[in-house]
Amino acid sequence: MLKKVYIVDDDPLSLFLAKNILTLYNINCKSSCYIDANQALDQLVEDALTGDLPDLVLLDLNMPLMSGFEFLRRLGSVCRGLEMECFVAILTSSIDEEDKKRCAESALVIDFLEKPLTNSMLHTITKAITKKNGPLPDNVPGREQI
Amino acid sequence: MDKTLQSPKFYLFLLENSNDLISIIDEQGNYQFVGGSVKAILGYSPEEMVGNCAFGYIHEEDRDATAGALNNALGEKLASLPYFRFRHKTGEWRWMDCTVSNMVDNPFIRGYVTNTRDITEKVEEERRKLRAQAHYESMFYNHPDAVFELHSDGCFTKVNSSVSQVLGYEDSQILGVHFSRFVHEQYLPLAMEAFVSTMQGNSRYLELQAVRQGEEKVYLGITIMPVIVEGEIVSIQGIAKDITLQRKLEEVEREQAEQLRNIMESVPESFFSLDQSWHFTYANAHYASYIGKSRQEIVGKCIKEVFPAAADLSTFYSECVKVLQTGLPSSFEELIYYGDGRRLSFQVFPSRNGVSVNLVDVTEKAAEKNRLEKLALVASKTTTGVVMLDRFGRIEWVNSAFEETTGYGLQEAYWQYPGDLLGGEEAEGLVQSKIRKKMAKGKPFKGEVVNYSKNGQQKRFKLEIIPVLGEDGQPVKYISIRYDVTEIRQKEDQLLKITRDLSEQIRNLQQFSYMVSHNLRAPAANIQGLVALIGALSKDTPFFDEAVSKLALAAGNLDVVIRDMNHILSIRERSSLLKTEAVNVLEVCEEALSCVLPRLKGGGHTISLNINKNFTLSSNRVYLLESLKQLFSNAVKFRQADKELMLEVNLIQMKGKTELTIRDNGIGMDISLGNKDIFQLYKRFHQGYEGRGVGLFLVRTYLEELGATIRVESAPAQGTTFTLKFKCHA
């Protein structure tokens, strides 16, 4: 089950929606909303240093100041530096194939989701993460990456 | 003997047959007695003369001298008179030698006895000898050439005054000295041989070099002959002539002749001479090789025999005859038909015994001339600009097409460098230096250049420069060919611009459709999601009402995007109906400001509009107003909270362009992050400010429709400057 999820989107409506869908899916999931991608990135760096990375980051692509692609680039270099892994799922209203291709180039991205977020999407992602990482321990609030 | 001595007849007979004339004269000279031999000696009988005065018979010229001598002799016993002339009975004068014996005291005689002998023959012989001697001496001493006599031992015995002049020595330094002392050693054998030969009785002429005092050499032509006395050669006489000058002249003449011969033999033209019967007297090597015969086969032969083709040369024959008759040279050309027909150029000069002919085969030259004439015709009639350059790259000739395209005729262009003549501010220096490098290497150049015509018009030419190489491989000339491609390039440029504009528009459209689809989808997706969420929530949950209100918000967002689309499309749609008018820029700025400034709500501001109040722009007022409103509104919106707004608008007119800059002191932005995205739809650069990212997209859309461009300069906290560039001003 997903315990800790960050949602990065410039649209407050989208944030509201995603947060509530997540809560509906998993009542114990602790989700944080970031309307400013920079803040989210700062938090992730801090999490990486304390070993408390979220299970998943839901990332919008089309944002002012820092686009989703720029976010991925920076996060990627942080993770490589710390030899850690962080799972990102793109959650966008874009249905552009080019965007999809660009995102697939990033090793962090495990899925490309078209808005709106649904239960079944969350289910698929959870399964994918489990497959990669092994079953998520229910009672442990975070994971350590070595 | 004693008996005969005593007979008077015996004495008379003796007197009568004597060779001498014996007579007795008195003191006055009158004959007292005349011997009988007078008849034989003077033709008179003694009786005719006795009683007459002897002086009457003596030559007038000799009379005084004879009388004087006789007078002197009267006191002597015996005296000799000088020779005198005595008249013969025939009237002829005879020379006489006379001795007078004083026998006055002799009782038998009582007078002066004269003993006279006819010496006419002897006197005449002596006079002849004297004359001969004078002749000889005159010949010897007065001869203008150097005359000398050598003893049989070879030493000088006699010299005239010219000898010392010729040899440069005093007579005393010459006389008694052997001749070999004065002969140049090179000529000694010759001189010795001549001397010996002459001593054997042969006269000789020889030429040798003598050495003057001071080592100066002098050429002498010497005639020597033996002097024979009584069959014996006693000495040698010679006459020497200074022939140095003559020798030098001969030398010069020989050299000149040699030079002339060398010239004639080395010039690559044919020379020959003909005598009056058309026979060759001379032919140079070139002529011999031209007609393919040896000189021996030519000289002495008739021209018709040597050169049968000459039979066709009717002009040649008639001209030669004319030259012979008039003595004036003649030059002409004639075509002869042998082989493929040759054109010959003749120059005929009169010479001593005929004519001298200079012959040049001008067939190739004539063909070349013909070819060049045709080429020149082509070059002058073509529409391509042709220029001939000298080896330094200076213009020597231009054709009329060059003049038509550039405006420069040959007079103005002559001796100029094309780069100087046609270069202008935009003529590419790189191309020029490339051309110069190619030309210096003697390699052809092909490329395109920007040139300026005389009236300042910019022209594009396809330029080809072809070097003409000399025998040494170095360029002696260049031919430059210019095709005017100005129009083609202009059209190409237009096409290129259209293509660029089109692809830009396509890119913009793609961007537009992407953003539209994304921004349409975003609220749609939200609606979908919210609907699903609401469906899953019970009405009692506190989120339910919030979700419903969010649903309304999402629907509103969708509506806004649809309105934006409508607005943008309407701008594009209306553009075809756009009215172009003279827009007063200052007025439009003021109007835009009056719409925007109230939003400051009384906040302080400094506005400066540096625009000429009469300046108008050929544009559309509404679109310009909308653009300015948006830009000014941004300046108000993104002002620094702690600073008074400062806004500066400047208008700069440039060649064919008008630039409007709008500078503010607002919060600015890091444009390196978004670079040109700033003018794209739904792009936002500031968090915490209202806005959908539509304003600058609209500004760009308006300006594009007006044919204007916009660019931005900005930095965080440094303010922002927008520059609007309009193509032309009204």
Side-chain angles (χ1 to χ4, degrees), chain B residues 435-706:
Chain B
I435 292 172
R436 272 196 291 276
K437 273 183 201 161
K438 288 268 186 187
M439 283 173 75
K441 286 183 189 166
K443 289 188 172 160
F445 168 84
K446 221 174 194 180
E448 214 168 291
V449 292
V450 175
N451 281 166
Y452 288 84
S453 66
K454 196 177 167 184
N455 58 18
Q457 217 183 338
Q458 197 190 65
K459 295 258 185 185
R460 295 194 73 90
F461 289 107
K462 213 164 159 185
L463 176 66
E464 221 175 303
I465 298 175
I466 304 143
V468 180
L469 301 181
E471 279 172 11
D472 58 352
Q474 292 300 306
V476 290
K477 263 186 200 336
Y478 300 91
I479 298 164
S480 111
I481 297 165
R482 271 181 175 71
Y483 304 96
D484 189 346
V485 292
T486 314
E487 265 181 54
I488 297 168
R489 291 291 172 265
Q490 275 170 358
K491 278 182 183 147
E492 281 175 359
D493 285 351
Q494 278 171 6
L495 266 175
L496 199 69
K497 196 184 171 309
I498 290 166
T499 312
R500 272 202 209 112
D501 288 354
L502 273 174
S503 63
E504 174 74 11
Q505 278 189 18
I506 288 166
R507 212 175 59 81
N508 288 343
L509 274 172
Q510 280 173 339
Q511 188 72 28
F512 175 76
S513 67
Y514 171 80
M515 292 314 293
V516 164
S517 65
H518 182 272
N519 283 273
L520 272 174
R521 256 220 96 236
N526 281 341
I527 290 168
Q528 281 178 325
L530 286 164
V531 168
L533 182 67
I534 288 165
L537 291 173
S538 78
K539 284 189 181 176
D540 307 330
T541 54
F543 292 125
F544 187 83
D545 290 341
E546 198 182 352
V548 172
S549 72
K550 297 283 183 197
L551 185 60
L553 192 63
N557 285 349
L558 185 61
D559 185 50
V560 167
V561 173
I562 290 167
R563 282 171 193 277
D564 283 344
M565 268 177 56
N566 189 45
H567 186 193
I568 292 159
L569 289 173
S570 74
I571 296 173
R572 299 247 190 235
E573 235 168 57
R574 270 181 290 167
S575 68
S576 57
L577 307 165
L578 207 61
K579 196 173 80 179
T580 301
E581 59 210 319
V583 182
N584 185 301
V585 179
L586 183 62
E587 279 175 23
V588 174
C589 281
E590 281 167 346
E591 188 179 337
L593 281 169
S594 70
C595 298
V596 170
L597 287 178
R599 290 187 215 159
L600 281 169
K601 300 192 175 96
H605 58 266
T606 311
I607 313 274
S608 57
L609 300 177
N610 305 315
I611 303 167
N612 186 319
K613 65 174 183 180
N614 296 321
F615 183 82
T616 60
L617 196 62
S618 175
S619 192
N620 180 273
R621 191 172 193 284
V622 178
Y623 277 19
L624 186 60
L625 178 65
E626 289 302 319
S627 304
L628 291 173
K629 259 157 80 174
Q630 186 61 52
L631 291 170
F632 292 156
S633 148
N634 278 3
V636 170
K637 185 157 113 190
F638 298 109
R639 67 184 182 274
Q640 297 200 43
D642 53 347
K643 278 189 188 163
E644 185 186 281
L645 170 67
M646 284 173 70
L647 187 63
E648 187 185 310
V649 183
N650 294 305
L651 187 134
I652 305 157
Q653 280 175 258
M654 289 183 293
K655 195 181 169 189
K657 286 176 201 155
T658 300
E659 239 181 45
L660 194 66
T661 59
I662 298 158
R663 188 194 310 277
D664 66 38
N665 63 338
I667 57 172
M669 58 193 146
D670 185 357
I671 52 166
S672 69
L673 291 175
N675 48 61
K676 28 178 207 181
D677 285 352
I678 191 173
F679 296 105
Q680 284 184 4
L681 185 59
Y682 300 129
K683 289 283 182 184
R684 293 165 60 222
F685 283 79
H686 298 96
Q687 210 100 43
Y689 288 87
E690 291 264 322
R692 307 188 306 279
V694 174
L696 288 178
F697 175 79
L698 287 176
V699 170
R700 194 189 67 176
T701 308
Y702 282 128
L703 291 175
E704 268 176 9
E705 297 307 322
L706 295 177

Side-chain angles (χ1 to χ4, degrees), chain A residues 10-14 16-17 20-21 24 35-36 60 62 64-65 74 92-96 99 114-116, chain B residues 514-515 518-519 521-522 525-526 528-530 533 536-537 543 546-547 550 553-554 557 683-687:
Chain A
D10 67 318
D11 178 18
L13 237 164
S14 290
F16 171 84
L17 191 59
N20 283 293
I21 299 284
L24 274 179
I35 201 158
D36 182 345
D60 185 22
N62 194 12
L65 302 179
R74 293 200 197 179
T92 176
S93 55
S94 169
I95 45 170
D96 193 276
D99 285 351
E114 285 178 16
K115 286 178 182 177
Chain B
Y514 171 80
M515 292 314 293
H518 182 272
N519 283 273
R521 256 220 96 236
N526 281 341
Q528 281 178 325
L530 286 164
L533 182 67
L537 291 173
F543 292 125
E546 198 182 352
K550 297 283 183 197
L553 192 63
N557 285 349
K683 289 283 182 184
R684 293 165 60 222
F685 283 79
H686 298 96
Q687 210 100 43

Side-chain angles (χ1 to χ4, degrees), chain B residues 180-421:
Chain B
S180 61
R181 159 78 179 73
F182 305 98
V183 175
H184 188 280
E185 55 181 348
Q186 203 184 322
Y187 291 90
L188 262 179
L190 173 70
M192 290 306 293
E193 185 269 321
F195 177 76
V196 171
S197 163
T198 308
M199 283 304 289
Q200 288 165 356
N202 307 304
S203 292
R204 281 286 294 274
Y205 175 78
L206 73 156
E207 288 185 0
L208 53 73
Q209 223 174 24
V211 182
R212 284 168 61 89
Q213 191 166 26
E215 297 304 309
E216 195 190 338
K217 290 173 190 71
V218 57
Y219 270 107
L220 300 176
I222 304 170
T223 309
I224 43 175
M225 52 238 143
V227 178
I228 303 165
V229 178
E230 292 171 358
E232 196 184 334
I233 295 162
V234 291
S235 65
I236 289 177
Q237 276 196 5
I239 301 169
K241 215 179 184 115
D242 186 345
I243 56 165
T244 311
L245 205 65
Q246 190 187 330
R247 270 292 183 100
K248 274 185 184 159
L249 275 171
E250 281 169 8
E251 189 72 18
V252 169
E253 265 175 31
R254 201 166 53 243
E255 275 173 18
Q256 281 178 345
E258 181 70 16
Q259 268 181 359
L260 201 64
R261 204 185 70 85
N262 284 343
I263 291 168
M264 296 292 257
E265 290 305 319
S266 57
V267 287
E269 288 182 11
S270 296
F271 282 98
F272 58 85
S273 304
L274 297 171
D275 65 14
Q276 297 197 11
S277 59
W278 303 101
H279 283 72
F280 283 99
T281 52
Y282 170 78
N284 74 346
H286 189 269
Y287 181 68
S289 80
Y290 175 71
I291 62 167
K293 291 193 181 203
S294 76
R295 233 182 293 208
Q296 288 73 28
E297 290 175 276
I298 302 168
V299 176
K301 305 276 169 58
C302 180
I303 188 167
K304 289 175 199 173
E305 187 188 331
V306 173
F307 193 28
D312 297 329
L313 299 173
S314 59
T315 310
F316 173 73
Y317 284 111
S318 61
E319 285 297 320
C320 284
V321 169
K322 208 190 282 176
V323 168
L324 280 173
Q325 284 169 347
T326 61
L328 296 172
S330 164
S331 60
F332 52 92
E333 274 187 19
E334 187 163 24
L335 195 66
I336 57 157
Y337 298 96
Y338 81 94
D340 49 357
R342 312 298 297 174
R343 178 162 284 279
L344 303 179
S345 167
F346 291 97
Q347 281 190 296
V348 181
F349 310 93
S351 62
R352 207 168 44 169
N353 190 30
V355 290
S356 292
V357 182
N358 170 212
L359 163 67
V360 182
D361 186 332
V362 294
T363 314
E364 275 77 26
K365 214 189 263 179
E368 178 69 11
K369 195 176 151 200
N370 191 269
R371 201 171 65 84
L372 281 176
E373 274 169 5
K374 280 179 187 156
L375 269 180
L377 186 72
V378 171
S380 63
K381 297 296 176 200
T382 180
T383 54
T384 306
V386 181
V387 179
M388 296 283 291
L389 306 172
D390 70 5
R391 67 192 174 97
F392 301 106
R394 291 176 298 208
I395 294 172
E396 279 188 337
W397 181 82
V398 302
N399 70 345
S400 55
F402 177 86
E403 186 171 357
E404 272 164 36
T405 48
T406 65
Y408 293 106
L410 182 58
Q411 268 192 327
E412 290 160 285
Y414 190 69
W415 223 238
Q416 299 248 33
Y417 294 97
D420 295 347
L421 189 69

